[in-house]
Amino acid sequence: MTAEDDAQRPGTVVRRLLPHAAGLADLWTTRRAPLPRHAWLGWLPHGHAVLFAVLVGLWNVNAHAVQGASPSATLWLLGVLQSAAVCLALYRPASAWQLSTAALFLTALSVDGRVGAGTPWPWSIAGIALHTLVLFLLALRIRPLGAIAAPALTLLAGAANAALSGHDHNLTVIGGAVPFAIAAVVGVSLRTSRVARERLAEQEELTAEEQTRRTLLEERGRIARELHDVVAHHMSVISIQAQVARHLVEDPPRELTDNLAGIRHSAVEALTELRHILGVLRAQDPSAEGGRHVPQPTLDRLDELVATVRGAGLTVTTETTGSPRPLPPGVGLSAYRIVQEALSNAMRHAPGAAVRVAIAYHPSEITVQVVNSAPARRAPAATGLGHGLPGMRERAAMLGGELAAGPTANGGYDVTAILPDGTREPSAATAGGAP
């Protein structure tokens, strides 16, 4: 089937016409669409619109009286309705346009035959001004097709007045077309610009959220790759111990031998699965291949890290409280990475600052604190979304710990992490949610 055949199918034609029909439907709705408050002027534009409606409305009612036709009760009522349409357009623009168009049409009928040949008809200058404002407020809130169709329908109503009249009048239908068209075009342009800004802001927000999510996932993948070596080491030890254990007993029972063989087999299978998982993670991040065989660092290499940072020009002091002890590999790795990220952030965002690294060993946890003073000079503008704080929080949360980061009173920055080392089992009160 060709594109021409497809275009001629009834369903295709209907689908293409639906958006246009929806735009025209905006003219016949009665739903509320309040004119939003201006960011700088507040409600002042709303007040000006009401004042304009009152003053021009009085002019509109008296426009025919100047030509000798006394304003009747009907003319006063129609004039009030047309002025009220401007106020209504601030909240229900489509209903306001319907009311204003009807008022224009009925006003022309009511004064037909009583106005002179030089009197503006079917619309007075004041009536055109009021309806122009209604069209402008309408175009600010509805879709472009409806905003363009509204003045066209108003012109058709004026043409109907002219067709129904048997008198010689100074017709203003063509003259009213110019301000009506200008109001529609300006309103559509402003609405299009506003909608574009709103969509751009939404897209930027979605992009920022997606970038944050991607950064978090990348950091979790990096943590998973680093912990692979820790888990693989333990699984290897289990496998070796299960293999050696049966040789430590003379004539071991068959049940013990089978159990040890099963343990070793499970450990080997777990190592194989870990390698598969690591292969997937590294395939998503080719840069991780370079550190594939590098041992994961712990706090034992803290002095080496500090020396490297000092060589980059940062003043760093260290202090250790408590009794240093071997930490579980995951805890030691996380503590090292938190210090590394905090020092990197200090170098990027606080050039020339003095940094203090404090490690405190407690009976069942370790506290890592990195505090820098105020920067000595202005830091270069940051580019992109870093992995520092999200990564540090992920590492602390992974171990069941806490991380707090924020500015200090003297203009510096403080990063403090409390990491449990797993030596204390959670009490019943803690497990139940007690502080």
Side-chain angles (χ1 to χ4, degrees):
M1 181 179 293
T2 64
E4 295 180 357
D5 295 335
D6 184 69
Q8 294 176 357
R9 295 175 60 187
T12 303
V13 175
V14 170
R15 284 195 299 271
R16 291 182 178 179
L17 292 178
L18 279 178
H20 303 289
L24 292 175
D26 290 344
L27 293 176
W28 314 112
T29 182
T30 58
R31 68 174 183 269
R32 294 181 74 254
L35 185 69
R37 180 176 180 271
H38 197 275
W40 298 334
L41 301 178
W43 299 108
L44 188 60
H46 298 68
H48 283 168
V50 173
L51 181 61
F52 179 85
V54 172
L55 297 179
V56 180
L58 294 174
W59 175 27
N60 185 35
V61 172
N62 293 308
H64 301 293
V66 174
Q67 302 297 330
S70 59
S72 62
T74 301
L75 189 60
W76 273 104
L77 176 61
L78 293 174
V80 170
L81 289 178
Q82 191 170 1
S83 295
V86 175
C87 302
L88 181 62
L90 298 173
Y91 299 94
R92 297 180 185 270
S95 299
W97 170 79
Q98 298 166 16
L99 178 61
S100 181
T101 302
L104 283 177
F105 182 81
L106 295 176
T107 300
L109 292 180
S110 67
V111 300
D112 183 23
R114 292 190 296 160
V115 297
T119 303
W121 188 91
W123 306 321
S124 65
I125 303 302
I128 292 175
L130 289 172
H131 194 70
T132 298
L133 181 55
V134 171
L135 286 174
F136 174 71
L137 294 174
L138 174 71
L140 290 176
R141 258 86 56 77
I142 68 172
R143 282 168 282 193
L145 184 61
I148 294 174
L153 293 175
T154 300
L155 293 176
L156 287 178
N161 282 129
L164 294 174
S165 175
H167 300 84
D168 185 16
H169 292 300
N170 180 16
L171 298 178
T172 56
V173 175
I174 302 302
V178 176
F180 293 169
I182 293 176
V185 171
V186 173
V188 168
S189 300
L190 292 176
R191 178 187 179 275
T192 302
S193 177
R194 174 175 54 83
V195 171
R197 289 195 303 269
E198 292 175 353
R199 290 180 178 176
L200 179 60
E202 293 175 359
Q203 188 62 39
E204 289 177 348
E205 184 178 355
L206 291 175
T207 301
E209 292 177 357
E210 182 62 26
Q211 190 174 6
T212 302
R213 177 177 173 273
R214 179 178 178 180
T215 299
L216 187 60
L217 292 177
E218 289 177 353
E219 189 62 25
R220 288 178 178 176
R222 177 187 173 193
I223 294 173
R225 289 192 300 270
E226 292 179 348
L227 290 180
H228 166 268
D229 294 341
V230 176
V231 178
H233 169 73
H234 290 299
M235 298 304 299
S236 299
V237 171
I238 293 173
S239 175
I240 294 172
Q241 288 179 338
Q243 185 177 9
V244 174
R246 63 180 180 177
H247 299 292
L248 301 179
V249 181
E250 294 183 1
D251 298 326
R254 182 176 180 83
E255 293 80 4
L256 176 61
T257 303
D258 292 342
N259 285 335
L260 292 175
I263 293 173
R264 183 177 183 278
H265 179 72
S266 299
V268 171
E269 284 188 345
L271 280 172
T272 303
E273 295 300 326
L274 281 174
R275 292 191 187 98
H276 292 163
I277 295 174
L278 185 66
V280 173
L281 293 174
R282 282 180 175 147
Q284 296 176 354
D285 185 8
S287 62
E289 190 66 24
R292 183 171 181 176
H293 304 292
V294 179
Q296 298 298 342
T298 63
L299 288 180
D300 296 337
R301 297 176 55 183
L302 180 60
D303 292 338
E304 178 183 342
L305 173 63
V306 171
T308 302
V309 174
R310 286 172 179 163
L314 198 65
T315 303
V316 184
T317 59
T318 61
E319 64 178 58
T320 302
T321 59
S323 301
R325 63 181 183 275
L327 298 171
V331 178
L333 172 61
S334 295
Y336 179 90
R337 291 302 189 194
I338 289 174
V339 174
Q340 185 182 42
E341 288 290 351
L343 291 176
S344 298
N345 287 344
M347 284 191 293
R348 285 195 299 267
H349 305 298
V355 184
R356 180 175 63 88
V357 179
I359 308 295
Y361 290 88
H362 305 290
S364 59
E365 62 190 20
I366 178 175
T367 300
V368 177
Q369 185 180 36
V370 181
V371 184
N372 63 268
S373 61
R377 57 185 180 275
R378 186 172 182 177
T383 57
L385 184 64
H387 291 212
L389 286 177
M392 289 187 279
R393 289 194 175 96
E394 282 294 313
R395 293 181 185 278
M398 174 189 64
L399 299 172
E402 301 176 359
L403 185 134
T408 61
N410 62 354
Y413 204 81
D414 182 359
V415 176
T416 302
I418 301 176
L419 307 177
D421 61 6
T423 58
R424 182 177 65 181
E425 293 294 333
S427 63
T430 304

